[in-house]
Amino acid sequence: MDICETHENTSKCSVNSMECFMVLSTQAQKISIATLCGLFGILCILENILVLYLIFSSPGTRRKPSYLFISSLALADILASIIFVCSFVSFHVFKEIDFSKEVFLLQLAGVTTSFSASLSSLLLTALDRYLSISRPSEYKLLMTRRRAWIALGVLWVTCATIASLPLLGWNCCTLNSTCSELFPFVDGSYLSSWICLTLLLLGCIACAYTRVLRRARQHVAYMEQHQAPGAKQQSSRMRMDVTLAKTLVLVLAVLVLCWSPVLGLMTYSIFSRLSDRLRRAFAFCSTLCLLNSMVNPIIYALRSKELSASLRMVFSQCRRQLKASEESPEAGSAHKPSVIET
């Protein structure tokens, strides 16, 4: 902390001043961070790639807007894992600072864009579920593939624009303002704005999921009380919507549990000075964001009937291919003696 305490505004914006943000002091802490990032990052990438394959390999899922939003979530988690692990490990473990302020802010913009897009994709998914339950007869007309792609385009452009604001000038070096204690070159007002936006998104997602579950339960209760010929199909559809809604609520619960420590420490850093222990805790809590991205595909595979069915089909195909490859050498060896005898 000597560098941060002895140098003020000018040195805060120099590359050498970033050493005070490297809070991992022991080799055990560095190994722990590297292990967590490597384990969560690799599993997250593999699992989300599998989710994308399952969605786009099946005509039934890739045509549905809801699975387009889920594929956006998987893509955001893949990008977040790659950028976060590479930048986080190189900075805290290998202590590489031989880059400019612009390069660091570009890396931070990539991480912020990916995680913001992940959160926003969950919001679009929640709104899509609410629309399908509240207005089922008009859903296919209101939520078309074209509108889903437009919504995803607006989502990613908005997230990238907000994340690039520090790189474009909203940083403590350009404004000569107070820098954040958690992120080099980041202005405190920008961090406050990003926290407020994230909390707003979380609140909107929670509100949308609450209304989804409420409407779904009302529909299922009504259909069970008024069973009529031809109503079984609608009732089964409502039950499927309830299952998917519960899945998304579970995703949201994991999201809140993984992000609340990070957001809590970010908020605390705005109003009070952080000790080395708290900043070290923030570094470890940041890996929970990777854990959230790793858990999401597992929830899809366990809760989504369509994706789990596609996954079982992929496993069965792999088993058949393995059996075929194991049987082919045996067949070749069985024919080989007959050739020699002739």
Side-chain angles (χ1 to χ4, degrees):
M1 290 293 294
D2 294 339
I3 298 178
C4 294
E5 292 175 352
T6 55
H7 300 281
E8 291 299 326
N9 291 335
T10 304
S11 63
K12 284 180 182 179
C13 293
S14 64
V15 175
N16 294 330
S17 66
M18 288 197 298
E19 294 179 359
C20 66
F21 293 90
M22 301 175 179
V23 294
L24 303 182
S25 56
T26 65
Q27 192 68 19
Q29 294 173 358
K30 296 178 183 178
I31 293 176
S32 299
I33 285 289
T35 302
L36 291 174
C37 289
L39 178 63
F40 293 161
I42 292 174
L43 290 177
C44 176
I45 293 172
L46 294 178
E47 290 171 359
N48 282 286
I49 288 177
L50 179 61
V51 169
L52 290 176
Y53 172 77
L54 294 177
I55 291 175
F56 287 99
S57 62
S58 174
T61 55
R62 66 168 176 258
R63 287 197 296 263
K64 294 183 178 180
S66 58
Y67 285 103
L68 289 179
F69 299 145
I70 292 177
S71 64
S72 174
L73 173 63
L75 177 61
D77 288 337
I78 291 174
L79 295 178
S81 300
I82 296 175
I83 302 174
F84 178 85
V85 170
C86 294
S87 59
F88 196 79
V89 171
S90 64
F91 184 82
H92 284 286
V93 178
F94 298 104
K95 295 186 175 183
E96 295 181 0
I97 57 174
D98 53 341
F99 48 80
S100 62
K101 175 193 71 176
E102 289 74 18
V103 173
F104 178 84
L105 291 178
L106 181 61
Q107 293 176 353
L108 184 62
V111 175
T112 306
T113 299
S114 302
F115 281 124
S116 299
S118 176
L119 189 60
S120 301
S121 298
L122 281 176
L123 177 58
L124 286 181
T125 305
L127 296 176
D128 173 74
R129 286 295 90 198
Y130 176 72
L131 186 62
S132 66
I133 291 180
S134 61
R135 307 174 71 175
S137 60
E138 306 173 15
Y139 172 74
K140 291 186 177 180
L141 296 177
L142 294 175
M143 184 55 65
T144 61
R145 281 176 52 86
R146 181 173 178 272
R147 291 181 178 178
W149 281 111
I150 292 176
L152 290 176
V154 173
L155 180 154
W156 280 91
V157 171
T158 302
C159 292
T161 301
I162 295 175
S164 302
L165 291 178
L167 185 62
L168 298 176
W170 193 354
N171 57 74
C172 58
C173 303
T174 303
L175 302 177
N176 195 23
S177 57
T178 303
C179 296
S180 169
E181 294 185 46
L182 295 174
F183 304 99
F185 313 124
V186 175
D187 180 69
S189 60
Y190 172 81
L191 182 60
S192 303
S193 302
W194 188 83
I195 293 173
C196 292
L197 178 61
T198 303
L199 292 176
L200 178 62
L201 287 175
L202 285 173
C204 293
I205 293 173
C207 180
Y209 284 158
T210 301
R211 295 180 69 87
V212 164
L213 286 179
R214 186 178 304 170
R215 288 300 294 265
R217 288 175 179 176
Q218 291 175 354
H219 278 237
V220 171
Y222 178 82
M223 296 304 299
E224 289 178 350
Q225 293 176 0
H226 300 81
Q227 287 291 340
K232 293 183 178 180
Q233 183 177 0
Q234 296 180 4
S235 180
S236 62
R237 179 187 176 187
M238 293 303 169
R239 292 179 185 276
M240 183 181 63
D241 288 336
V242 171
T243 301
L244 185 54
K246 290 180 179 179
T247 300
L248 298 177
V249 170
L250 184 59
V251 172
L252 176 62
V254 173
L255 180 72
V256 172
L257 290 175
C258 292
W259 275 85
S260 55
V262 174
L263 293 176
L265 289 173
M266 285 183 183
T267 305
Y268 183 76
S269 68
I270 297 174
F271 301 100
S272 180
R273 194 170 188 83
L274 294 178
S275 63
D276 287 346
R277 180 176 297 180
L278 287 178
R279 298 202 305 160
R280 194 174 299 115
F282 177 79
F284 279 91
C285 289
S286 299
T287 60
L288 291 176
C289 303
L290 280 178
L291 178 62
N292 170 70
S293 299
M294 185 193 73
V295 169
N296 283 342
I298 299 176
I299 298 175
Y300 302 149
L302 294 177
R303 306 282 296 186
S304 175
K305 292 183 178 180
E306 290 176 296
L307 289 185
S308 59
S310 299
L311 184 60
R312 287 193 297 268
M313 186 179 299
V314 170
F315 284 156
S316 63
Q317 291 177 354
C318 291
R319 284 197 299 267
R320 286 196 298 267
Q321 291 179 357
L322 288 176
K323 289 181 179 179
S325 62
E326 291 176 356
E327 292 175 356
S328 57
E330 295 177 357
S333 60
H335 289 288
K336 191 173 182 180
S338 61
V339 176
I340 296 177
E341 289 175 1
T342 56

